[in-house]
Amino acid sequence: MQGLLLQQRLASASLASCSGRGATPARPAAARPLAARQRRPGGTGWGRAPTQLRAVDDDKFDSLVAPPEEGAVASSVQAWLNPPAEELPDDFEMPIWDHLDELRERVLVGALAAAAAVLTCFVFSKDLVVFLEAPVAAQGVRFLQLSPGEFFFTTLKVGGYAGILISVPTILYEIAAYVVPGLTKSERQFLAPVILGSSVLFYAGLVFSYEILTPAALNFFVNYADGAVESLWSIDQYFEFVLVLMLSTGLAFQVPVIQVMLGQLGLVTSEMMFSQWRFVVVGATIAAAVLTPSTDPFTQTLLAVPLVGLYMGGAACVRALEARRAQNA
């Protein structure tokens, strides 16, 4: 009975400390009961005995998320959780079940768009295979099917990757349309450039990988083996290399978008970004070693250098946003 009452107290205390955007969380009590495991005297089992624990950590958490007192400067987290009333949208409210219905519809639309794109790309999968073989077609490389059905499963893989990449804009639009009603007015204005910039950088990473990174890496391997062995490559392993390299490069090109988002939220500043350039160089080298499927330093360098440049460009964008914010203030 004592344990049941203790669980109910803890549940009510945690519910009282929860808050949403624009709401003021309840202040916790000076002390809360906590069930501690204590050894029964003279026994072998474990029993529960109540003890008291100061709510110092809860006070710190509540001071972080609670609205600032009048005249106090709000932190970035407080400003995000408690936006001013003029920033809140005037849209109508929806019950939770309507939100779930809308989420189901948008997930269904995104899934149907991806399925249609994958099916279309599978129909033209042989043309895509020839297109992706182009970086080494002039180097005398020949591709082999080392097992029954290897080329068939390779075309499935190529069609799946290509279809998902083509359907990315539709999926991003459905995600944005679902989250827009819960954003403030300034966040809505910031969302469109972020999605557009993310899409442009992702496809720019794919183009960079296909036009520069992949041919350079493959030509390195071909020239290194020239005169010693004949280049007869497995079709499945080749496309595993090319597709993973293209996808990882597209994801790596999202660094400026992440920087701009963090800068817009006020979590980091351009000064902090520029001051950490030494760690960025080391981190870009490690990230290039992890993202590239090959182990040669040449391919890693080709990816690490653009990553450092993208990071510096993102820091410059954050500085421009800070200067614009200072002018408007």
Side-chain angles (χ1 to χ4, degrees):
M1 187 64 180
Q2 182 183 4
L4 181 60
L5 292 175
L6 186 58
Q7 292 179 2
Q8 291 177 352
R9 287 183 180 180
L10 289 174
S12 62
S14 67
L15 287 175
S17 63
C18 293
S19 64
R21 297 185 66 174
T24 303
R27 302 296 300 177
R32 290 183 181 175
L34 181 67
R37 296 167 66 91
Q38 295 183 351
R39 188 80 171 181
R40 290 179 180 175
T44 59
W46 292 91
R48 290 187 177 274
T51 185
Q52 299 293 326
L53 181 66
R54 291 182 304 172
V56 176
D57 295 334
D58 291 331
D59 287 337
K60 293 181 179 179
F61 176 77
D62 289 334
S63 64
L64 179 65
V65 302
E69 298 179 358
E70 187 176 357
V73 179
S75 64
S76 301
V77 178
Q78 288 175 330
W80 185 76
L81 291 175
N82 305 278
E86 60 271 11
E87 284 288 329
L88 296 176
D90 298 328
D91 299 340
F92 60 91
E93 297 182 358
M94 294 175 59
I96 182 63
W97 299 113
D98 292 343
H99 281 291
L100 294 177
D101 290 339
E102 183 185 0
L103 177 62
R104 180 181 59 186
E105 293 175 1
R106 297 198 178 278
V107 169
L108 180 61
V109 171
L112 290 177
V118 168
L119 182 60
T120 304
C121 291
F122 178 71
V123 174
F124 299 97
S125 58
K126 290 187 178 180
D127 297 328
L128 291 174
V129 167
V130 174
F131 175 76
L132 293 175
E133 288 177 352
V136 291
Q139 301 294 327
V141 177
R142 292 191 297 169
F143 298 97
L144 300 177
Q145 182 178 219
L146 301 181
S147 62
E150 180 178 350
F151 180 70
F152 172 75
F153 290 109
T154 301
T155 55
L156 286 178
K157 187 184 300 182
V158 171
Y161 273 99
I164 292 175
L165 293 178
I166 292 175
S167 61
V168 162
T170 304
I171 297 174
L172 288 178
Y173 170 78
E174 295 298 330
I175 295 175
Y178 179 73
V179 302
V180 157
L183 302 179
T184 60
K185 296 178 182 179
S186 59
E187 289 171 345
R188 291 184 179 186
Q189 296 175 356
F190 183 67
L191 181 64
V194 166
I195 293 179
L196 180 60
S198 177
S199 302
V200 170
L201 286 174
F202 182 78
Y203 287 113
L206 297 182
V207 174
F208 173 80
S209 177
Y210 179 80
E211 294 290 343
I212 299 177
L213 188 59
T214 301
L218 296 177
N219 290 335
F220 171 81
F221 293 135
V222 173
N223 294 329
Y224 184 80
D226 189 22
V229 295
E230 186 177 1
S231 296
L232 301 175
W233 293 352
S234 167
I235 187 67
D236 181 65
Q237 294 181 7
Y238 170 77
F239 281 106
E240 187 75 23
F241 176 88
V242 172
L243 295 175
V244 170
L245 184 59
M246 293 179 65
L247 182 61
S248 60
T249 306
L251 294 177
F253 270 51
Q254 302 298 306
V255 171
V257 177
I258 299 175
Q259 290 178 264
V260 171
M261 292 178 63
L262 294 177
Q264 185 70 14
L265 293 175
L267 300 179
V268 293
T269 62
S270 59
E271 292 266 349
M272 298 170 57
M273 293 181 184
F274 282 117
S275 63
Q276 303 297 325
W277 67 270
R278 297 179 180 84
F279 299 99
V280 171
V281 173
V282 177
T285 305
I286 297 175
V290 174
L291 293 175
T292 53
S294 63
T295 57
D296 63 290
F298 182 70
T299 307
Q300 298 173 10
T301 304
L302 284 177
L303 182 57
V305 172
L307 284 180
V308 175
L310 288 170
Y311 178 86
M312 294 301 177
C317 291
V318 174
R319 175 166 292 181
L321 290 175
E322 290 174 350
R324 181 181 178 182
R325 194 182 304 127
Q327 290 178 356
N328 295 334

